[in-house]
Amino acid sequence: MNTMTTTTDTTTKTTVLEAKGVTMRFGGLTAVKGVDLQVNAGEIVGLIGPNGAGKTTFFNCLTGLYVPTEGSVTYKGTVLPPKPHKVTEAGIARTFQNIRLFHNMTVLENVLVGRHTRTKEGLWSALLRGPGFKKAEAASEARAMELLEFIGLEHKADHLAKNLPYGEQRKLEIARALASDPGLILLDEPTAGMNPQETRAAEELIFAIRDKGIAVLVIEHDMRFIFNLCDRVACLVQGEKLIEGTASEVQGDERVIAAYLGTPFEGEPGAAEVAEVEAAEAHAEAEAEAAAEPEAAAETETETEAEAADEDEAPATDADAEADADTDADSTTSTTSTEGEAK
Amino acid sequence: MTTNTTPQTDTAKTASAPAALLYAVIGGSLLTIVSAFLAWTWTADFPGDLTFYGSPAGLQYVTLAGAALTLVFALSALGVKGLGWLTPAGSRKAVWFLALGNAAATWFTVVAITVVLGGVINLEPGAYVALVGSLVPALAAYKLPDDTRKAAAPKAKLPSWAEILVITGVFALGLFVITFGIDTDDKEPQLFVAYLITVAFAALALNKSGLLARFSALTANNRQVTLIGTAAAAIAFPFIQQSGDTYTLIAVNILIFATVALGLNVVVGLAGLLDLGYVAFLGVGAYAAALVSGSTASAFGIHLPFWAAVIVGALASLVFGVVIGAPTLRLRGDYLAIVTLGFGEIFRIAMGNLDGDSGPDITNGPNGIPNIPHLELFGWNFGESHMVGGIELGAYANYYFLMLLVMALVVVVFSRAGNSRIGRAWVAIREDETAAEAMGINGFKVKLIAFALGATLAGLAGTVQAHVNSTVVPENYVFAGPVPPNSAFLLAAVILGGMGTIRGPILGAALLFLIPAKLAFLQDYQLLAFGIALILLMRFRPEGLIANKRAQLEFHDDTADQAPTDLATAKAGA
């Protein structure tokens, strides 16, 4: 919580992206149901939700990969056509949840492909190789190298993309997206599969992107990452937006916790056992207290230690207690791991 | 003195086993060379007349060349001064492949003599000498210890005149080898088979010895010289044809085939669109040119100049490419393959039916359009022989030069388009269409451009083909048949040679044209052999004979992983 000092300059409140009532149905299944979302310039907005909540589907609706069944998406006031390349041309770039680089192209070529919408040289110009073509190629290459320096991969420009380590592939995907000079970048789980150091580096990178004046909308499961990073967080559950607000608002919201970890209710399978364990513990405690007096001090110590261990375990099965706990390192990891089981 | 000799004997001892083996290789090679000067059989009935004592003939030249190569490389492996440059990346594999190739070619020859003449009784002692002489090096070289190493950089950089000299020499040699292959008599399939075995193993050996890599580094340093050398070697080909026009015609057909394969390479190799009916675009160009070039059977009865016919043919192909591509390129995956396969067949059958019976009389039906007059450019009649510099060039040499120009044009188009914004977009589409679209590439538009460009290039080649053959019939444009170019062979040429490269499809086309032409005796088994060869190739070298940088890394993961890690550790160490 101490790193929640991401004060952003929110004086420029121009809306970059506005999604209104976006609904996506696949046959009878409604993957996204009437989601409104607004991203302002200079903002980092997080999108969280359990697996299958429709986050990536929502992304695909925004980027034209899917045509929303209902609702509209506007970018800087103009309604976006549902064609991926036109969306990119308008100024929205994206990365993919499962890295989708052009594996058999070099790192530099990958970024150059990202420049596609910002250059205009067609087939004739390529065949005739006039001075305009050479100038444009040189400019594209310079810009691509600049971006590679920005992510720190300039020394690997000639490597094949597939030969990069995982973390660098994620970075390269971001550089490729940035190459189209976007006003908004959508990142789909940019830290999936990364170690803590890489995650921190990714955090820095996203702040640096924001500082370039590019708004960021990010899907992520790593709660600490998202609460450190985002000015606003929206939580999507079963296709519907549950809540939107600052990180602490979302974090404290009971419905969010319930969505991730499930709600305890009467007659819940397992509840009886929990109660039983608690009762047994209480009983044991009472006994221990009773026994403490006549018995040796050493014994008591060992017993209370065992109790303490029991107590540590018991709340772990209790969802509320765990989620209410402060989001220090331990609880975050356990939250993310439980979430996998929850779905 | 004694202290001096001890270490020497030690090294001699450790080196003695390989040295003995190398001496065996050298001895065997020498024996083989000697055997080439002996008679292998007593009768001239066997093609090539191997009955002379004192001079090699026919197939013996192949054995002689193979043995000489083995000898030189074995000497280099032995550490003979002045030959070390032959094996920068290790000698064992090179010697072994050469010896193996020579043994295979020699044994094949002797077995062929026995089979053709009926029995071992027809062999003269020279043949037995050759058998033993070629077998010994192959066995000995197999036992050699592996000394494969990373090729060290050449110690002293050659002066530029020497580099140019080397390149010229290699091109001259290459021209000689290719000419030898094309000029082998169709009646002597044995000679071509032995030639093919020797060349294949020699190429493999040169590759393993690291000599090819060194030479390609040399050509990369002297691109201008290489280009001029390639052009000069190609232009020189008709001039060194002693036996008239026959083999120039084969070369012209190879050039047509290679040009169309290069066009297909844009579609398949760069954009990744599987086109199974590509030969139809060649047909559209050929038919369009034939109809407007003054053939007596043409429905239009007009005779446009050649340049106009070329434009008509290319434009007709372009239109067909767009018409076929526009509805199908919106789809992904195999739909395009199915539609193009269908289009290829529709084209051929439609051309066969437009004969006035079941449709308008345009193409003269199955009889095709005959009697297309020869080209005449600037008063230069393509149908006649001409004297150039005291050498008589046959009629087909004219078309050969014309086709060289067309191919040069296609090569320029391919390399320039491939190495540009649009070319990167094609490769991106091939790699991952969804990601490419998300990067702002209009997939449909870009694919349509690739498809239309490929069609246009094929149409261009078709206009020349119509004049070369002087007749256009629908049966030339089938999906699969024993005579290239057809769609299956075109695709095979691209894949066999190496997708996305320039040299690959040219080499693939040359092989796929020459092998069926020279091995006509295989008859019905040709397609079977062709299929087996393709399967073997896909198993052992999926990236094609000539791999581009990307594919090489793609298919051989071991090397792909190695190089960057090496780099990374080197960087970390530094």
Side-chain angles (χ1 to χ4, degrees), chain B residues 274-277 335-346 479 487:
Chain B
L274 184 56
D275 187 343
L276 293 179
Y335 300 103
L336 184 70
I338 296 166
V339 171
T340 50
L341 180 66
F343 167 65
E345 289 303 290
I346 289 169
F479 169 70
S487 293

Side-chain angles (χ1 to χ4, degrees), chain B residues 192-249:
Chain B
F192 185 74
V193 171
Y195 160 84
L196 212 59
I197 292 173
T198 306
V199 170
F201 276 97
L204 205 61
L206 290 180
N207 189 26
K208 289 287 180 196
S209 73
L211 215 56
L212 274 188
R214 187 152 288 182
F215 179 68
S216 53
L218 213 60
T219 53
N221 287 340
N222 300 281
R223 283 200 54 189
Q224 300 282 337
V225 180
T226 310
L227 278 178
I228 294 168
T230 315
I235 290 170
F237 177 80
F239 287 95
I240 56 174
Q241 292 299 312
Q242 287 104 10
S243 51
D245 236 7
T246 332
Y247 302 120
T248 313
L249 176 60

Side-chain angles (χ1 to χ4, degrees), chain B residues 38 53 161 168 173 185 198 234 270 390 402 434 502 536 561:
Chain B
L38 303 174
Y53 280 92
W161 61 265
T168 315
L173 188 71
D185 197 333
T198 306
L270 292 182
L402 179 66
T434 304
I502 291 173
L536 288 179
D561 293 341

Side-chain angles (χ1 to χ4, degrees), chain B residues 287-351:
Chain B
Y287 263 101
L291 285 172
V292 298
S293 289
S295 160
T296 46
S298 164
F300 299 120
I302 45 174
H303 193 170
L304 297 180
F306 179 61
W307 60 267
V310 166
I311 291 175
V312 168
L315 274 183
S317 280
L318 172 69
V319 168
F320 269 88
V322 172
V323 166
I324 301 302
T328 48
L329 289 171
R330 291 177 193 280
L331 305 167
R332 294 188 187 185
D334 305 330
Y335 300 103
L336 184 70
I338 296 166
V339 171
T340 50
L341 180 66
F343 167 65
E345 289 303 290
I346 289 169
F347 170 78
R348 179 174 65 85
I349 294 166
M351 291 301 112

Side-chain angles (χ1 to χ4, degrees), chain B residues 429-473:
Chain B
I429 290 275
R430 187 192 71 192
E431 291 285 306
D432 187 334
E433 191 161 348
T434 304
E437 295 244 340
M439 291 307 118
I441 293 169
N442 184 347
F444 170 68
K445 190 176 142 198
V446 165
K447 285 195 286 184
L448 190 60
I449 291 174
F451 203 72
L453 178 65
T456 311
L457 295 180
L460 189 64
T463 56
V464 183
Q465 194 204 28
H467 288 282
V468 173
N469 294 349
S470 79
T471 164
V472 179
V473 289

Side-chain angles (χ1 to χ4, degrees), chain A residues 65 84-85 88 92 94 96 100-106 109 112-117 119-123 126-129 133 137 155 159-160 162-163 176-177, chain B residues 413 415-417 419-422 424-428 430-432 434-443 446 449 453 549-550 553-554 557 560-561 564 567 571:
Chain A
L65 231 50
H85 63 270
T88 311
I92 299 182
R94 73 169 292 178
F96 292 89
R100 296 187 86 148
L101 287 170
F102 307 120
H103 288 288
N104 296 309
M105 297 176 90
T106 65
E109 282 175 324
L112 283 174
V113 170
R115 291 292 301 161
H116 192 89
T117 49
T119 43
K120 291 280 163 273
E121 279 64 44
L123 180 64
L127 294 184
L128 300 174
R129 298 262 149 142
F133 175 83
E137 280 286 284
H155 59 287
H159 286 224
L160 281 191
K162 63 187 277 188
N163 293 336
R176 187 180 68 174
Chain B
V413 166
S415 67
R416 288 194 164 181
N419 186 19
S420 71
R421 172 174 173 267
I422 192 101
R424 285 191 297 269
W426 287 335
V427 179
R430 187 192 71 192
E431 291 285 306
D432 187 334
T434 304
E437 295 244 340
M439 291 307 118
I441 293 169
N442 184 347
V446 165
I449 291 174
L453 178 65
K549 186 187 62 186
R550 291 186 191 121
L553 292 163
E554 181 179 348
D557 274 341
D561 293 341
L567 265 177
K571 283 223 169 74

